Amino acid sequence: MTQGQGEQRPPSAHGGGGDWQRDVLRELGGDGHGDGHGDGRPGADTRRGEPTLRLVHPAPARPGTTTEADAGEDAPAPHAAPTHTPHAAPAEPAPRADTAPEPQDPAPRADTAPVPDPGRPAPPAAREPRLPAAPAPESSPTLDPRLLLALGSPLHGDSVPRRTGRALRKLTSSVSQDVAEQTRIARALQQSVTTGRVVAVTSIRGGVGKSTVSALLGRTLNHYRHDPVLTLEADTALGTLPVRMGADAVRWTVTDLAPVLHPSMKLTDVTGYLVPVSDGGWLLPASRGQVGPPLDMTAYRKVTLALRRYFAVTVADCETLPGEVARTAMDTAHARVVVAPTTAEGVGATRQVLDWLARLPHSALATTVVALVSNTPDTLLDDKAAAGHLKESGVTVVTVPYDRHLAGGGPIRTDLLAHATRQAVLRLAAEVMGRAVRVR
């Protein structure tokens, strides 16, 4: 039935003539149809003696919706009459006089409109969800500036008498042997890889030097290799890796980067989310220096798998065992480093971890190296006896001696490392890289 034709209204369910559903809809927003004596405005066809239903205060916007101005054509204007009735094709609503015409939504419209629920207005048409762009996180300093001032000047790993004595011994020692050893280590570190290699670093508890060893490995590999090297932090428990790597501030984390990564991204796109290290390489932290939720295992797997396309080697500073991410990293990495303190209880617990690795379906002992770290100059446990106890499980053990520069904390400067520390780190990196390359 079109406008201008006579309408036969059925008797109202509440008594009296007329279509009561049509009257309620007219009072709530107007129906846009004249019946010979109405003007199309809300309440123009209201009968005398009947109560008038009006929306005095508009309903509050639901979460995820916008104001009327940016709602488009799907949100009706408060004074516009709907131009459709049940079982009739909807017509385009008339634009408001006080606003510019809204852009048309390219989404197709349904051919029919649903029958409105009696007693309440018809709900607005569902809009196509539009995901807003994720805002970039705020940059946070790795250390409070006041702590940087209180840190003071870093110490050299070797004392002055030790450096003097080594210089004198160097005059009488064989140079050819040192050159041959350095050449062998450099070749091991510069081995070519077909795909990106992941090296997982973990320990049995915190505070034993896990992040320090990760930073040393990342810096060493970046110094000797000509392809990109990434040092990734997978421990959100306020780790010290960004500080040890010399980063002044951090912004994007592993959790932030996981939903952003896309196969079409280039290396230059990815590095925009990373922290450049002063002497080369890249850093991806796990937190912005605040206590937060633990790293999700799915996010870790997605990030490490995606970044293998861009970086030849990724050193992952994992959480301590037996954390979920640490176990996942140890299971999926190409090479593993277990950091053990030179204490009786530390060596004993590390031996238990090695026995657990041996019981895995695919034994990981062949690609595992133990870094036996001494954090104090007055160690009670004999390091040779401790290394022999760990070697019984079939792994290679590299002893990292006490270093004054590393013990002082703060950013690591490789030029201030003790000579024995540099040699130990070079050997550790060569052992790890040799095992990572052998895995196909």
Side-chain angles (χ1 to χ4, degrees):
M1 183 178 296
T2 60
Q3 183 175 356
Q5 296 177 350
E7 297 181 353
Q8 299 294 333
R9 299 184 178 180
S12 173
H14 298 282
D19 189 348
W20 64 273
Q21 296 183 5
R22 183 183 181 93
D23 295 338
V24 171
L25 291 177
R26 181 186 297 108
E27 297 300 334
L28 292 176
D31 62 353
H33 292 276
D35 57 358
H37 57 277
D39 55 1
R41 295 176 298 177
D45 193 42
T46 305
R47 302 176 183 177
R48 296 182 179 179
E50 294 184 358
T52 302
L53 301 178
R54 300 182 183 275
L55 292 177
V56 180
H57 299 287
R62 295 178 297 175
T65 59
T66 56
T67 58
E68 178 194 355
D70 55 15
E73 62 181 0
D74 295 325
H79 299 289
T83 57
H84 65 276
T85 56
H87 307 293
E92 295 294 333
R96 293 177 53 181
D98 54 345
T99 58
E102 296 290 340
Q104 299 296 324
D105 193 346
R109 292 178 172 274
D111 296 332
T112 59
V115 179
D117 188 11
R120 61 179 180 179
R127 299 186 59 192
E128 181 181 358
R130 299 175 182 177
L131 297 177
E138 296 291 336
S139 179
S140 302
T142 55
L143 274 180
D144 192 287
R146 295 170 294 180
L147 295 178
L148 291 176
L149 295 177
L151 189 60
S153 300
L155 294 175
H156 197 284
D158 285 329
S159 61
V160 175
R162 180 174 295 182
R163 280 179 282 169
T164 304
R166 181 178 174 275
L168 295 176
R169 290 191 300 269
K170 196 174 182 180
L171 297 176
T172 59
S173 62
S174 175
V175 180
S176 59
Q177 294 181 357
D178 295 340
V179 172
E181 181 66 13
Q182 295 294 330
T183 303
R184 183 190 68 82
I185 292 178
R187 288 177 177 175
L189 296 176
Q190 295 173 356
Q191 296 181 74
S192 60
V193 295
T194 55
T195 58
R197 309 282 96 175
V198 178
V199 178
V201 182
T202 186
S203 61
I204 48 93
R205 59 181 174 87
V208 301
K210 173 176 60 67
S211 298
T212 300
V213 171
S214 301
L216 292 172
L217 285 177
R219 287 176 175 270
T220 302
L221 292 172
N222 178 77
H223 176 76
Y224 280 88
R225 299 191 63 86
H226 302 288
D227 38 22
V229 175
L230 172 67
T231 307
L232 182 146
E233 185 182 30
D235 186 3
T236 58
L238 299 180
T240 59
L241 183 63
V243 178
R244 299 302 253 171
M245 294 293 291
D248 296 330
V250 294
R251 190 171 187 178
W252 293 85
T253 65
V254 177
T255 305
D256 299 329
L257 187 59
V260 177
L261 289 174
H262 192 270
S264 63
M265 299 177 67
K266 301 179 180 179
L267 176 61
T268 53
D269 301 328
V270 174
T271 54
Y273 298 95
L274 307 179
V275 180
V277 184
S278 58
D279 54 353
W282 303 92
L283 168 68
L284 179 60
S287 64
R288 285 181 285 273
Q290 299 175 354
V291 178
L295 179 63
D296 183 41
M297 182 181 61
T298 304
Y300 170 80
R301 293 179 66 97
K302 179 180 179 180
V303 170
T304 53
L305 184 61
L307 294 182
R308 285 174 53 186
R309 301 175 52 243
Y310 308 98
F311 297 94
V313 184
T314 299
V315 179
D317 179 17
C318 303
E319 62 182 359
T320 57
L321 290 169
E324 185 179 20
V325 175
R327 288 181 295 176
T328 302
M330 295 289 286
D331 185 47
T332 58
H334 301 91
R336 301 149 186 89
V337 178
V338 179
V339 181
T342 313
T343 60
E345 60 273 19
V347 173
T350 304
R351 175 61 186 272
Q352 295 179 8
V353 171
L354 298 177
D355 295 339
W356 166 72
L357 291 176
R359 293 192 299 267
L360 292 178
H362 303 283
S363 177
L365 288 183
T367 56
T368 301
V369 182
V370 176
L372 188 60
V373 179
S374 178
N375 296 317
T376 175
D378 303 322
T379 303
L380 299 178
L381 184 65
D382 182 37
D383 56 350
K384 294 183 179 180
H389 181 70
L390 295 172
K391 288 179 181 179
E392 292 178 356
S393 59
V395 299
T396 300
V397 180
V398 177
T399 301
V400 181
Y402 170 77
D403 191 294
R404 297 192 311 171
H405 177 62
L406 297 178
I412 296 177
R413 289 179 51 181
T414 54
D415 59 323
L416 296 181
L417 293 175
H419 175 73
T421 303
R422 287 199 296 268
Q423 297 302 314
V425 172
L426 285 175
R427 184 189 171 198
L428 177 63
E431 294 286 350
V432 170
M433 198 63 203
R435 286 161 173 75
V437 172
R438 289 198 298 264
V439 177
R440 300 298 178 185

